[in-house]
Amino acid sequence: AIAPGHAPAWNEYGILRMQRGEHEQALICFRNSLSSRPHDLATMTNLVSACIECGEWAQAEQTLDGVLAQDSANGPGLALLGRLRKQQGRLPEALAAWRGAVDVAPGHADWRAGLAMTQQAMGDYQEAGANYERALMLSPGSVDALVGRAEWLEWQGRYQAGLESLRALDPESRQQPGPALVSARLWRRLGDSPRARQILADAIPLSGSYRRAFCF
């Protein structure tokens, strides 16, 4: 309100909106920030993340082109490209992007988990499992790695082991859309559909990329 053209403040406001699951509002914040500071890489990657959540894939692509044109080895940009391509079903391109991100930062647990999720989607379960384990060695509390490994265990019919993987998360993290979705699927597989339905009802997001999966 005091400084409506202050780009860093708009960016921080957008980050807060994203954390609250208010993706459409975050999109507006990041656009406002970039109107005053159009080439800031951190804000551009934040905008891409919001665009992916809102299904604005065309702007996500355009903004990512700008990020990677400035810095072809931009780790967050490569990770977001991997995420976008996976959502689009363009798995070989997603795999290449995630590998690029991991090459930039081999110690980044969440990016390694993203690589593992794409390998899993492509049927390379052995490499996916190995990368989940590497990610958890790097960061035992990584939400992405724990959730990814739980889903990996589900795909192998190891439902109870999948739930054990999720129990490593703190209670607040278990209420996030990703963990809740996998947890509900695991309980359904174990025959407890009422419990699965309650988990979904308690955690369903109002918007974003997970909502369709929750409704399904």
Side-chain angles (χ1 to χ4, degrees):
I2 294 169
H6 193 281
W10 276 116
N11 183 51
E12 291 298 327
Y13 193 24
I15 291 169
L16 178 61
R17 292 286 206 174
M18 286 288 284
Q19 291 170 345
R20 290 166 55 89
E22 299 168 355
H23 305 109
E24 295 284 352
Q25 296 92 330
L27 203 59
I28 294 167
C29 293
F30 295 135
R31 285 171 175 161
N32 285 342
S33 180
L34 288 167
S35 68
S36 300
R37 194 171 57 172
H39 303 296
D40 182 69
L41 284 173
T43 309
M44 291 170 76
T45 56
N46 289 336
L47 176 65
V48 172
S49 185
C51 285
I52 292 173
E53 289 295 333
C54 294
E56 299 276 355
W57 288 356
Q59 186 172 12
E61 295 235 21
Q62 181 182 6
T63 308
L64 271 175
D65 286 345
V67 170
L68 296 173
Q70 287 190 64
D71 178 10
S72 61
N74 182 277
L78 290 167
L80 284 167
L81 180 60
R83 182 177 161 202
L84 176 63
R85 292 291 183 248
K86 185 172 182 291
Q87 287 200 15
Q88 293 171 324
R90 296 161 64 174
L91 295 180
E93 294 173 61
L95 187 68
W98 281 117
R99 281 182 171 150
V102 169
D103 286 344
V104 170
H108 197 299
D110 289 348
W111 296 353
R112 191 167 288 278
L115 172 61
M117 289 176 195
T118 304
Q119 290 170 327
Q120 178 178 323
M122 296 180 73
D124 190 352
Y125 303 123
Q126 184 174 353
E127 278 300 307
N131 274 312
Y132 284 131
E133 291 303 320
R134 290 186 195 119
L136 288 168
M137 287 177 64
L138 291 164
S139 178
S142 166
V143 174
D144 287 353
L146 287 166
V147 172
R149 186 176 66 174
E151 185 176 45
W152 177 78
L153 289 164
E154 180 206 352
W155 286 23
Q156 298 177 72
R158 298 166 62 187
Y159 309 136
Q160 197 63 51
L163 287 173
E164 290 298 324
S165 181
L166 293 176
R167 287 192 183 105
L169 295 169
D170 61 76
E172 184 177 350
S173 294
R174 279 182 229 156
Q175 288 298 310
Q176 293 179 10
L181 186 64
V182 175
S183 176
R185 286 210 313 263
L186 288 163
W187 281 113
R188 180 174 61 81
R189 299 279 195 188
L190 288 166
D192 195 342
S193 292
R195 184 167 185 167
R197 186 179 294 111
Q198 190 60 54
I199 291 169
L200 292 171
D202 289 343
I204 186 168
L206 297 176
S207 64
S209 58
Y210 278 108
R211 183 168 174 81
R212 181 173 63 178
F214 266 76
C215 292
F216 177 78

